Amino acid sequence: MRVLVLGGAGEMGRIAASEAASYSFVERVTVADVKYGAALAISQTIGARAEAAYCDVTDLSALRELMTAHDVVLNTVGPFYRFGLPILKAAIAAGKNYADICDDWEPTLEMLNLNAAARASGITAIMGIGASPGITNLLAMTTTSSLEQVDEILTGWSIDVDEQTHPEPERHSGSCDTLNAANVHWLQQLTGKIRQLQDGKLRDVSPLQRRDIRYPGLGAMSAWTVGHPEAVTLPRIFPELGSCANVMIGKDEDFKELKSLATLVDTGILSIERAARYLEEDSTPPKPTLVAPMPFRPQLFAWAKGIRDGRKIITSAHLRTLPSGTMGGATSIPLALTLPFFAVGFDGRSGVFTPEEILQPAAFFDELSRRCAGVSGHNKSLVVHAQEYLEP
């Protein structure tokens, strides 16, 4: 198998490329990036089975030509609202299997509309197989597996993860070069309108709405809504759902600040770029103080409410730990974990799929557990699954 990693010189791409090269069935990994020097340096650190290639993803003719020399395309080039659709179209035209870490809900819907074209080309494309979306989608499938009726699903992540609050795919050169792309993406999904399922219908609503839930085993927990693909893709699997949203958890004061910043953007006082700069300037870690330890919060999780045995029940599933302990690894490693599934095929299924539509959660988490320190897929589950019946 020959694997092409687009954006391979970036933080997400280099992890995915290194992971791809670890598989014995992968004969060659191409680290492709508009920054050729950086791509070459990354390929040299990976080893003999890696090579570098210059790739400007806006040159679609050259991109398709590069794709034709490979079997699978792994795409980490963002922002996906700009690059997701044309890159997937190029993969379909080249007839090559494809996976990405798209975390924008708008292009996700556009890319899913290419299902017929992908089937005609005989390729399998997996959208949004990172941390969130990706791991969270499969956690949702895990936590709902014991329910006879699913009424509500929340997928979520903690903003308290140390390395990167919420990683953004590598942006293409020339777009917001001096800004942290993660903050730009984040603010786009915290301002304006986002789409989520309410009362059984997809609606465009304001983000940063507070939800207070009971999390099995942890008790009361507050969460705030954010725009993300899970809210629009999981209802495709669960047509009976009444509510579905993606949420963030963290300290209350952090969300008060975010809501104030989002209000300044929505009222036109600040541009998203200015607000993103503010987040960067305000990201200096505070000096340690003697405070009570923070309560445990799951870093990536899914929560659901439904019916089992005729009784109302809430269920949850979260990861015991992240790969390499960071959101960077949790985003990039799942992308590369699609390779063994591509290697054995999907029983002849072709088209454009979300993770929950094409991947088996148990098999995926077994593979992921091998990349998590202190966790063995054979004697200690990576996924913590809990449930509580609600009082009548």
Side-chain angles (χ1 to χ4, degrees):
M1 178 186 288
R2 293 178 63 90
V3 178
L4 174 64
V5 182
L6 299 177
E11 290 302 319
M12 302 296 109
R14 68 183 66 184
I15 297 174
S18 179
E19 180 70 17
S22 70
Y23 291 108
S24 60
F25 59 82
V26 173
E27 108 183 53
R28 177 67 59 183
V29 175
T30 301
V31 182
D33 205 285
V34 72
K35 300 175 182 176
Y36 177 75
L40 180 62
I42 294 299
S43 68
Q44 291 172 343
T45 64
I46 292 174
R49 284 193 290 161
E51 63 185 11
Y54 172 81
C55 180
D56 180 346
V57 297
T58 64
D59 185 344
L60 296 178
S61 177
L63 177 62
R64 287 192 299 271
E65 184 176 350
L66 180 61
M67 287 178 172
T68 58
H70 298 83
D71 303 299
V72 179
V73 177
L74 302 181
N75 180 21
T76 70
V77 179
F80 277 94
Y81 64 78
R82 180 180 173 191
F83 298 114
L85 190 63
I87 292 177
L88 176 56
K89 285 182 176 179
I92 292 173
K96 301 301 176 180
N97 290 329
Y98 169 95
D100 68 30
I101 52 175
C102 176
D103 54 0
D104 289 313
W105 63 267
E106 300 97 328
T108 294
L109 294 177
E110 294 179 314
M111 295 159 83
L112 286 169
N113 286 335
L114 296 177
N115 181 59
R119 291 183 65 185
S121 185
I123 75 154
T124 302
I126 306 176
M127 316 300 305
I129 180 60
S132 171
I135 289 175
T136 50
N137 305 58
L138 298 174
L139 287 172
M141 300 302 291
T142 300
T143 197
T144 57
S145 61
S146 61
L147 299 181
E148 299 162 2
Q149 174 182 314
V150 184
D151 298 322
E152 182 176 5
I153 297 176
L154 298 178
T155 55
W157 40 278
S158 171
I159 69 170
D160 293 327
V161 178
D162 289 337
E163 185 195 35
Q164 296 180 50
T165 298
H166 190 59
E168 168 76 359
E170 284 308 300
R171 66 182 184 273
H172 189 269
S173 289
S175 175
C176 303
D177 282 338
T178 60
L179 287 175
N180 183 306
N183 287 338
V184 173
H185 162 79
W186 198 23
L187 283 165
Q188 286 171 333
Q189 299 304 323
L190 293 177
T191 55
K193 298 293 183 181
I194 62 173
R195 190 164 298 174
Q196 63 183 44
L197 193 72
Q198 290 186 351
D199 301 320
K201 295 182 179 180
L202 289 172
R203 305 178 188 275
D204 291 341
V205 299
S206 297
L208 285 172
Q209 299 300 306
R210 178 170 174 157
R211 291 289 311 276
D212 293 314
I213 63 173
R214 180 170 180 79
Y215 196 96
L218 298 180
M221 190 168 74
S222 297
W224 284 259
T225 57
V226 59
H228 246 230
E230 298 97 312
V232 297
T233 66
L234 284 167
R236 291 158 56 95
I237 297 290
F238 302 98
E240 75 278 17
L241 265 180
S243 175
C244 187
N246 185 254
V247 298
M248 307 170 294
I249 57 174
K251 297 185 289 293
D252 285 357
E253 54 267 30
D254 290 336
F255 288 102
K256 290 177 182 177
E257 292 182 9
L258 283 173
K259 198 154 190 173
S260 296
L261 195 60
T263 299
L264 293 175
V265 173
D266 285 334
T267 56
I269 296 175
L270 284 182
S271 67
I272 283 181
E273 290 73 19
R274 286 285 303 275
R277 291 188 189 280
Y278 173 83
L279 284 178
E280 290 181 21
E281 295 167 359
D282 196 45
S283 62
T284 304
K287 294 181 180 179
T289 57
L290 295 176
V291 297
M294 287 182 57
F296 171 79
R297 295 189 183 99
Q299 294 175 319
L300 291 168
F301 68 93
W303 176 96
K305 181 188 294 185
I307 302 293
R308 193 177 73 190
D309 300 327
R311 298 177 59 189
K312 292 182 179 180
I313 189 173
I314 52 174
T315 71
S316 64
H318 62 263
L319 294 191
R320 190 181 303 277
T321 185
L322 298 182
S324 74
T326 69
M327 285 293 279
T331 300
S332 309
I333 290 176
L335 177 65
L337 282 184
T338 60
L339 295 176
F341 295 96
F342 279 122
V344 299
F346 296 95
D347 297 323
R349 298 177 69 190
S350 59
V352 181
F353 301 93
T354 59
E356 63 269 30
E357 292 174 322
I358 192 73
L359 297 173
Q360 292 297 322
F364 176 84
F365 287 124
D366 183 61
E367 285 288 336
L368 186 62
S369 69
R370 306 174 198 275
R371 279 82 180 167
C372 297
V375 175
S376 167
H378 299 290
N379 56 33
K380 189 176 183 182
S381 175
L382 172 64
V383 178
V384 179
H385 187 192
Q387 52 199 15
E388 291 180 10
Y389 281 105
L390 297 175
E391 293 299 324

